[in-house]
Amino acid sequence: MLAIKKQALGSASRILLRANVLSGLAVRASRSYSKLYKSSDEAIEGIKSGDTLLIGGFGLCGIPENLLKAIARRKDIQQITAVSNNAGTSDYGLGTLLQSRQIKRMISSYVGENKEFSRQYLGGELEVELLPQGTIAERVRSGGAGIPAFYTLTGVGTQVETGGIPIKYGKNGEVLISSTPRETKVFNGRKYLMEEGITGDYALVKAWKGDELGNLVFKYAASNFNAPMATAGKITIAEVEEIVPVGELKPNEIHIPGIHVHRIIKGETYEKRIEKLTLRRSADEENELPESMKQRIHIIKRAAREFKDGMYVNLGIGMPVLASNYIDPQITVHLQSENGILGMGPFPTPNEVDADLVNAGKESVTVLPGGTCFSSDVSFGMIRGNRLDMTILGGMQVSSRGDLSNWMGLGGAMDLVAAPKSRVVVTMTHTAKDGSPKILKENTLPLTGVQCVDRIITDKCVFDVVPNKGLLLRELSYGQTVDSIKASTGCDFEVASDVAETF
């Protein structure tokens, strides 16, 4: 028995000695090996003309602003292909590289409010490949995971499938380069489009914290496109607000493991601009709003009645986002924003504003207790995976059979309306500014989705789209009649037997 005890003690001593040796090696390795660079200028060394850059951020939220400034200082770097959800603003973020004419092609989902981006695209100075937002996120995620292609419902029946979306205009407005048709395949009776993975020569991303091994942690909604981009660059360069010692970041709080990151810097300065600072309004402030805004609130207050207790709902940019301020306090609704928030709250008060918390419209928002933040690829996985009960989004036109046109740039709407089990509610003014109807027999604008709309809520009425039959007038706004709706609608419709003024 004594011999057995001595043998056990000896084995234990050898195990402890081996563990201590390995621990010492790990500490020495972490101290001697570092991916930390001194400056953004040093970190971008090697980037050259013609490279493809994957650039994280959403609007101005979570953009690698110091790395972008460094590239803007390098006028020798030209003919860049930039993969980014959008291009920031005309004077900040990726927009500065447009101003300096360093970008040849943008691969984006949305032109947005960047007037210089629009001007160069429409003027034939810039190639722009527009893709649905979720498709970009998944193409980049797939590229980083070594998956060459995948199939998706997003874009079926639209120009994404058939091709022909202008990529490059000529000086006189003629289309010189356009998108190509997608390969399709039928699974379980439904048509899907094939999309190829995207990788880049370099990925430029921004995180909140990082260590010298390249481990990254994001803050709130600033994860967005940064997370998938970080995995898909041949060389990934990360800038962070704070460098922490190796070991300070706990293994279960790291969002991007250092294996994906090749260079890391502490950003020299941060402005962290908010593209659309939006604050919560009081009831008195609402009464002082212009009539056009009161009309939008009138529509969205009716839309808020669509919420049911326990629902998971996405609110599109523009008018639908306002619905978060009119949820019945007696129910719980989990609001999802496609840039990576679940449990989104109302607009903030001045002391609640955080540049890392914006919605899909780039407006400042809050997150409710129990809410979560995640990356864009995870967000669109929820959408495509039919986890949402309902989507409320804006519209430019809706046809009598439920076809939707709502894009000036593809954005995330195509992904949202392609989810077959999610109810789609469109909110919009009944007529355009010139008085022409926006509800038509056939859409005249490019399609966002085919036969995807379930309900239309306007300032005048509520229509349901009945499959294989057309529109059914369900409700009237106060002061409207069936005849007034007929006069302002561009297609025939049926009238429900119990139609009444309800809002």
Side-chain angles (χ1 to χ4, degrees), residues 1-11:
M1 180 64 71
L2 183 62
I4 293 173
K5 285 183 177 180
K6 286 182 178 180
Q7 184 179 358
L9 287 171
S11 298

Side-chain angles (χ1 to χ4, degrees), residues 413-451:
M414 279 194 175
D415 303 274
L416 288 161
V417 302
K421 296 181 182 179
S422 178
R423 179 173 170 80
V424 174
V425 177
V426 172
T427 57
M428 64 182 186
T429 56
H430 203 93
T431 58
K433 291 180 180 179
D434 63 2
S436 60
K438 295 167 71 172
I439 301 172
L440 306 165
K441 184 176 181 180
E442 297 287 345
N443 299 52
T444 60
L445 297 173
L447 295 180
T448 300
V450 176
Q451 298 183 47

Side-chain angles (χ1 to χ4, degrees), residues 64-350:
E65 50 188 278
N66 290 284
L67 294 171
L68 291 173
K69 288 176 184 176
I71 292 174
R73 290 191 289 267
R74 288 279 307 276
K75 304 304 181 189
D76 58 306
I77 301 175
Q78 299 286 326
Q79 300 290 297
I80 294 168
T81 294
V83 183
S84 177
N85 180 60
N86 56 357
T89 59
S90 296
D91 65 342
Y92 207 69
L94 194 52
T96 58
L97 300 187
L98 291 174
Q99 291 279 10
S100 59
R101 305 296 194 276
Q102 290 172 266
I103 297 177
K104 175 187 178 183
R105 174 176 286 209
M106 287 288 306
I107 300 177
S108 301
S109 78
Y110 188 61
V111 175
E113 291 73 33
N114 189 327
K115 294 181 180 179
E116 181 62 16
F117 190 178
S118 300
R119 190 197 67 75
Q120 289 189 24
Y121 174 42
L122 297 175
E125 301 173 26
L126 177 71
E127 296 176 10
V128 178
E129 187 176 347
L130 290 170
L131 299 171
Q133 190 177 139
T135 295
I136 293 181
E138 188 62 18
R139 286 182 66 174
V140 172
R141 190 205 68 81
S142 295
I147 298 171
F150 61 93
Y151 286 93
T152 177
L153 282 169
T154 302
V156 170
T158 74
Q159 279 188 291
V160 174
E161 176 188 347
T162 61
I165 300 174
I167 292 175
K168 177 72 180 292
Y169 287 100
K171 299 289 186 185
N172 299 315
E174 71 278 18
V175 176
L176 301 181
I177 305 173
S178 60
S179 65
T180 56
R182 296 293 194 268
E183 180 181 319
T184 64
K185 190 170 183 178
V186 175
F187 296 92
N188 299 319
R190 298 196 67 136
K191 186 197 291 186
Y192 287 74
L193 309 185
M194 191 183 80
E195 297 283 0
E196 297 182 7
I198 293 176
T199 58
D201 298 297
Y202 290 83
L204 311 181
V205 301
K206 190 264 178 183
W208 179 32
K209 295 180 181 180
D211 62 25
E212 292 187 24
L213 294 180
N215 297 309
L216 303 179
V217 174
F218 301 109
K219 184 182 177 187
Y220 296 135
S223 177
N224 52 58
F225 277 87
N226 280 300
M229 297 294 192
T231 69
K234 294 175 184 175
I235 296 176
T236 292
I237 310 171
E239 64 169 80
V240 298
E241 295 179 42
E242 183 181 354
I243 296 285
V244 300
V246 172
E248 183 169 316
L249 299 177
K250 301 298 183 288
N252 62 338
E253 67 183 2
I254 292 169
H255 297 133
I256 294 294
I259 193 171
H260 294 297
V261 179
H262 305 84
R263 306 173 189 176
I264 187 169
I265 62 159
K266 183 181 185 298
E268 290 89 342
T269 59
Y270 282 105
E271 290 187 47
K272 296 186 72 170
R273 295 186 189 180
I274 299 174
E275 197 164 340
K276 296 179 183 178
L277 177 59
T278 311
L279 301 176
R280 201 175 307 168
R281 297 189 185 96
S282 66
D284 290 339
E285 288 173 320
E286 278 192 11
N287 292 331
E288 297 173 1
L289 292 172
E291 287 304 315
S292 60
M293 193 62 186
K294 289 180 181 179
Q295 182 187 49
R296 289 157 65 89
I297 291 174
H298 174 66
I299 296 168
I300 218 63
K301 282 184 174 179
R302 170 57 190 83
R305 297 185 199 171
E306 300 293 307
F307 296 134
K308 301 292 185 291
D309 195 24
M311 269 188 167
Y312 288 90
V313 180
N314 179 282
L315 301 179
I317 65 174
M319 192 192 312
V321 170
L322 299 172
S324 63
N325 298 290
Y326 303 104
I327 297 173
D328 183 342
Q330 302 302 313
I331 67 173
T332 298
V333 177
H334 309 280
L335 297 180
Q336 195 253 21
S337 185
E338 59 259 41
N339 58 311
I341 303 173
L342 184 63
M344 183 173 66
F347 296 131
T349 60

